[in-house]
Amino acid sequence: LAVIGPSGAGKSTLVNLILRSNVATEGTVEIDGFDIRDIEIETFLRRIGVVNQETFLFGGTLADNLRFVKPDATDDELVAVLQSVGLSAFLAAQPNGLNQDLESGTSLSIGQKQRIGIARSLLNDPNLLILDEPTSALDAASESEVMAVINRMSADRAVLMVTHRLDTILGFDEIVVLQSGVVVARGNHDELMSNCPLYVELRRSYLHETELSA
């Protein structure tokens, strides 16, 4: 599921409501028919993985950064999750492997950082993966690599991606268009191109900006 809309449409608010950073004052947020307020919050949050616009890596080893979400993860689990996001070659190139200190001379591209962030979010095998503008800071090549990972991850879990990069969502099952906090349309790309003037306008503006920056 992709969520798009102009600035101020409510995209970030929607994510915060799902993560229970904001609490709904009316209505409900439900997952699989359950009001999320009825689910114990620690249990609930363990089933969700989150990747933000920029992945934060702290001082310590690669393993430390991954185990942040699952302290008891084995080395084999860490290797497997890095492989799943296309970082096998990166891991093999590190002199100390999983024990490589990320602060001491390890040069990471933004794309590599983002894939490490996705790997970290997948370590608990979440049912729902929330991606908040995960490719906005990436160049075209890195964006392609990260989207390939995201597309693979969506095969066996629900993925919700908030984005303004409209070329990344053409193959999504459903796209939700927000405006002023209201869902004005939902459907796949072809359906929205046929029946949602706002989607057509957003796409036209995005393509124009892309051409200008090329």
Side-chain angles (χ1 to χ4, degrees):
L1 179 73
V3 179
I4 69 165
S7 297
K11 302 184 294 295
S12 296
T13 300
L14 175 62
V15 170
N16 288 334
L17 284 168
I18 296 171
L19 295 176
R20 294 170 69 174
S21 300
N22 292 356
V23 178
T25 55
E26 58 183 89
T28 59
V29 178
E30 298 180 1
I31 294 181
D32 288 340
F34 294 94
D35 187 329
I36 61 175
R37 291 172 296 189
D38 295 335
I39 305 172
E40 197 273 327
I41 191 164
E42 288 189 10
T43 300
F44 175 71
L45 292 178
R46 276 199 301 269
R47 306 314 310 150
I48 298 177
V50 181
V51 179
N52 293 310
Q53 180 173 343
E54 184 175 350
T55 293
F56 175 74
L57 300 177
F58 51 84
T61 67
L62 176 59
D64 292 336
N65 274 274
L66 293 172
R67 286 196 174 105
F68 180 75
V69 298
K70 189 179 181 183
D72 60 348
T74 66
D75 284 357
D76 286 345
E77 288 179 285
L78 301 186
V79 171
V81 79
L82 289 170
Q83 288 175 339
S84 74
V85 298
L87 288 176
S88 297
F90 166 79
L91 178 61
Q94 303 311 307
N96 299 309
L98 292 170
N99 294 317
Q100 180 68 28
D101 189 339
L102 296 185
E103 274 194 326
S104 59
T106 303
S107 179
L108 296 172
S109 69
I110 297 177
Q112 287 170 331
K113 285 183 179 180
Q114 213 51 341
R115 282 188 281 173
I116 290 173
I118 296 174
R120 182 164 60 192
S121 72
L122 293 174
L123 197 53
N124 270 330
D125 192 23
N127 301 93
L128 173 62
L129 184 61
I130 296 177
L131 306 161
D132 191 358
E133 299 281 8
T135 67
S136 63
L138 304 182
D139 58 34
S142 297
E143 179 179 71
S144 178
E145 293 172 354
V146 169
M147 283 308 304
V149 171
I150 291 170
N151 289 334
R152 289 200 303 273
M153 296 305 101
S154 65
D156 57 359
R157 77 190 76 246
V159 173
L160 185 152
M161 186 166 84
V162 174
T163 186
H164 72 277
R165 304 283 280 262
L166 300 192
D167 52 345
T168 63
I169 60 173
L170 300 184
F172 273 53
D173 297 317
E174 190 169 27
I175 301 166
V176 170
V177 184
L178 288 180
Q179 186 176 36
S180 302
V182 176
V183 175
V184 296
R186 58 192 304 165
N188 62 35
H189 168 72
D190 291 336
E191 291 168 341
L192 293 176
M193 287 297 291
S194 298
N195 59 33
C196 179
L198 177 58
Y199 181 76
V200 175
E201 178 187 339
L202 289 170
R203 182 158 177 77
R204 184 182 298 118
S205 296
Y206 171 74
L207 292 175
H208 180 63
E209 291 173 5
T210 302
E211 290 174 359
L212 290 177
S213 62

